[in-house]
Amino acid sequence: MQEQYFTLAHEGVHETEINRSRFLCALAPVADEREAQEFVARVRREHPTASHNCFAYVLGADASVQKASDDGEPGGTAGVPMLQMLLRREMRYVAAVVTRYYGGVKLGAGGLIRAYGGVVGEALDALGTVTRQRFRLATITVDHQRAGKLENDLRATGRAVRDVRYTDAVTIEIGLPDSDVPAFRAWLADATAGSASFELGGEAYGDACGVRSTPGA
């Protein structure tokens, strides 16, 4: 599995003008292909008189789903450069629609490629992205007496506490980078005087340190 990827902080639109043509790049975080297609359809409904509504989206932490459309622009001059920009920035679970209102000046193939790819890059910079880090899921089981302080200590040290359940004992589900597991085991044993159990589970992705900029600008 990929160690990390980037996705959008939130949905938004960025506009720029190139040789009298208006380019509006709408970006949205999407969980699956249905959401991506619904977003594309919604943007098209919002701009029914536009010259083109080209799109690209990338799904899966390993970019297993990639789709793009030129929507009437010369082949390979719109959707592909948009998709390439998303991949260059390591973006995942993101859909982009670039709406063009033609301004009367032809850009040529090279100009279109630069315009469509460029406006996606500008939109990513303007809207901001978040880092999603691969975590190993782990479950801690501890007695009620120690649970409150342990949970506070976990949160205070920036651990990704995903769930807390109170039954006969208290189970706390956290996310850890694989490299942190040995040190965390030692810390947990010390913090609970060896009374807590620790069990590793599967893998998942979670936010890593909030909003960041993406590489490859």
Side-chain angles (χ1 to χ4, degrees):
M1 294 177 68
Q2 185 160 321
E3 286 299 315
Q4 68 175 29
Y5 63 84
F6 299 90
T7 193
L8 282 173
H10 53 81
E11 182 177 326
V13 180
H14 173 76
E15 180 175 349
T16 189
E17 183 175 317
I18 302 172
N19 287 351
R20 297 194 300 204
S21 281
R22 290 176 61 210
F23 289 85
L24 296 87
C25 179
L27 294 172
V30 290
D32 52 35
E33 198 153 13
R34 178 186 59 80
E35 284 191 12
Q37 292 169 352
E38 288 177 353
F39 175 68
V40 172
R42 172 159 59 87
V43 175
R44 284 177 166 167
R45 287 194 300 270
E46 291 171 357
H47 298 279
T49 63
S51 307
H52 307 277
N53 284 293
C54 308
F55 74 81
Y57 56 81
V58 181
L59 301 170
D62 56 354
S64 56
V65 177
Q66 304 176 19
K67 295 288 177 65
S69 168
D70 296 313
D71 192 38
E73 293 281 30
T77 63
V80 169
M82 292 168 61
L83 180 62
Q84 288 175 337
M85 180 59 71
L86 293 176
L87 294 172
R88 177 184 171 191
R89 297 292 191 94
E90 298 180 39
M91 300 299 297
R92 304 290 188 266
Y93 296 102
V94 172
V97 183
V98 175
T99 299
R100 182 188 182 192
Y101 287 91
Y102 180 58
V105 178
K106 292 185 177 181
L107 301 181
L112 289 172
I113 290 170
R114 289 189 295 273
Y116 278 97
V119 72
V120 172
E122 290 176 9
L124 291 171
D125 291 337
L127 295 179
T129 62
V130 292
T131 306
R132 302 282 286 175
Q133 180 74 40
R134 184 170 67 88
F135 289 107
R136 191 69 177 275
L137 298 178
T139 302
I140 301 164
T141 304
V142 68
D143 58 55
H144 286 261
Q145 183 178 352
R146 290 182 171 86
K149 182 178 186 305
L150 178 59
E151 182 182 350
N152 289 338
D153 288 347
L154 289 169
R155 296 186 187 279
T157 54
R159 297 298 181 188
V161 177
R162 302 170 64 90
D163 189 32
V164 181
R165 296 185 298 277
Y166 289 84
T167 54
D168 291 341
V170 181
T171 55
I172 303 173
E173 184 180 276
I174 63 170
L176 290 170
D178 275 336
S179 59
D180 286 2
V181 170
F184 182 80
R185 282 185 186 274
W187 176 86
L188 180 65
D190 183 62
T192 64
S195 65
S197 67
F198 179 78
E199 182 180 352
L200 286 174
E203 295 179 321
Y205 287 89
D207 289 345
C209 302
V211 177
R212 298 185 176 184
S213 8
T214 50

